Amino acid sequence: PVSLWAACNRHGMLKAEQPDGSAVRAFNVRQVNPFLRWLLTFEGDAELLSPPDLRTQLRELARDVAAIYAEDSDDSGGSDPDG
């Protein structure tokens, strides 16, 4: 699980361990955009709890990335005879 990986790699400071094996970790973030992009690599296995404005930014980034990939899939393999 991601919580075990984070612990082994000493990512963030452990704040709480949950009964299901997950963990709450705190991070000192200096550069927001790279941090949010790193969180996206967990494909939903990590949740940003606070602050609320970063949660909003993460959702917006995820939406933007999903839209880019949707555009790419629409452009590839099309049957347009002129394209």
Side-chain angles (χ1 to χ4, degrees):
V2 174
S3 59
L4 180 60
W5 175 85
C8 289
N9 290 287
R10 298 183 180 181
H11 291 296
M13 181 178 17
L14 181 64
K15 290 294 188 176
E17 292 182 337
Q18 306 300 319
D20 66 357
S22 63
V24 176
R25 303 186 83 75
F27 294 84
N28 292 322
V29 177
R30 293 188 178 141
Q31 295 182 345
V32 171
N33 197 27
F35 179 71
L36 296 178
R37 290 180 180 277
W38 177 66
L39 288 177
L40 285 182
T41 67
F42 294 107
E43 300 175 353
D45 286 338
E47 180 182 358
L48 181 60
L49 300 178
S50 66
D53 61 319
L54 283 188
R55 285 178 56 95
T56 300
Q57 287 181 44
L58 181 61
R59 278 192 299 272
E60 290 171 354
L61 180 61
R63 184 188 63 233
D64 293 346
V65 169
I68 289 168
Y69 282 99
E71 289 173 10
D72 286 347
S73 67
D74 290 343
D75 292 341
S76 65
S79 59
D80 182 6
D82 295 328

